[in-house]
Amino acid sequence: MASGGGSPFPSVPASGTSTPSGSNLNPDATPKPTRICVYCGASPGADKAHLEAARDLARAMAANNIQLVYGGGTVGIMGEIAKTLVSLSGPDSVHGIIPEALVRYERDPNYTSTSTNNGNAESQQQKDPASTETKSLKVPEEKIFGRTTVVPDMHTRKRMMAQQVIEGGPGSGFIALSGGFGTLEELFETTTWNQLGIHTKGICVLNVNGFYDGILTWIKKAIQEGFVREGNADILVEAKTAEEAIQALRNYRVSKSVLKLAWGNS
């Protein structure tokens, strides 16, 4: 799905806050877990500060009992945040979602297990209906990187990652650590979905050593030139530390300038 296209899931009506209050009908219901989807690179980056930021974020998430949804890779920044959080909070705290085509490229061969598409509970495999052959993939070890779901394509990956956050409890949202083209594509698509009223969750860049300064400057320029409404300036917010990023999602308020469109109703 191209950015700004049809809704990938039923939307939540925009309101003044990103997190609904608990149900008055059933106050004893189990609270929904807070989930943060982290977009980040499959490379470690040239500066060790990028990996350390991933570890800091994982530690802050563990301290606040927050679950991680991420792209399912086990190398670079992706692998670092996943394995750090699992080491602190256990495998149930992490859900990686990865397209089948990327499994061989975004994994550490030292921490893999063989998974097939005939009943493995830890992955969702796709089988060729014209063939009786069972596929076998090397997927991350759950005890190291948490649960992994293998999906057929990038669009399914992004939809499922976003849906996990939208179904999460108070403080759920999206954080971008450092990364490349893929990280920016995911970040801006999620930002566009917010602007279009498809979701109401917070979006934050964790700006490590000025990594996102150029993007933040571009947003200001786009507002000055009339391409982004001034009221939408804070759809995407900045944090300098992991704690600030988590707090930014808790405090997130939906912009009054987002479009109030009816998605998924036609």
Side-chain angles (χ1 to χ4, degrees), residues 1-14 192-200 258-266:
M1 187 190 83
S3 296
S7 172
F9 33 68
S11 63
V12 178
T192 301
W193 287 347
N194 184 298
Q195 179 180 252
L196 294 175
I198 293 174
H199 75 84
T200 61
V258 300
L259 299 177
K260 310 299 191 297
L261 304 177
W263 294 96
N265 296 327
S266 58

Side-chain angles (χ1 to χ4, degrees), residues 73-126:
T74 58
V75 292
I77 297 175
M78 277 202 286
E80 198 66 27
I81 189 171
K83 69 182 181 183
T84 302
L85 186 54
V86 168
S87 72
L88 297 170
S89 299
D92 290 341
S93 64
V94 175
H95 185 188
I97 302 171
I98 187 168
E100 182 176 339
L102 288 179
V103 169
R104 70 181 63 180
Y105 297 107
E106 292 185 353
R107 67 176 174 87
D108 182 340
N110 295 316
Y111 300 103
T112 59
S113 59
T114 301
S115 174
T116 60
N117 62 355
N118 56 353
N120 188 303
E122 284 75 37
S123 62
Q124 177 180 317
Q125 308 278 345
Q126 299 301 315

Side-chain angles (χ1 to χ4, degrees), residues 203-226:
I203 308 161
C204 178
V205 293
L206 210 172
N207 195 10
V208 179
N209 290 347
F211 183 82
Y212 280 110
D213 285 355
I215 295 297
L216 297 171
T217 298
W218 172 83
I219 292 174
K220 292 177 182 178
K221 185 67 172 177
I223 293 170
Q224 292 173 0
E225 296 292 336

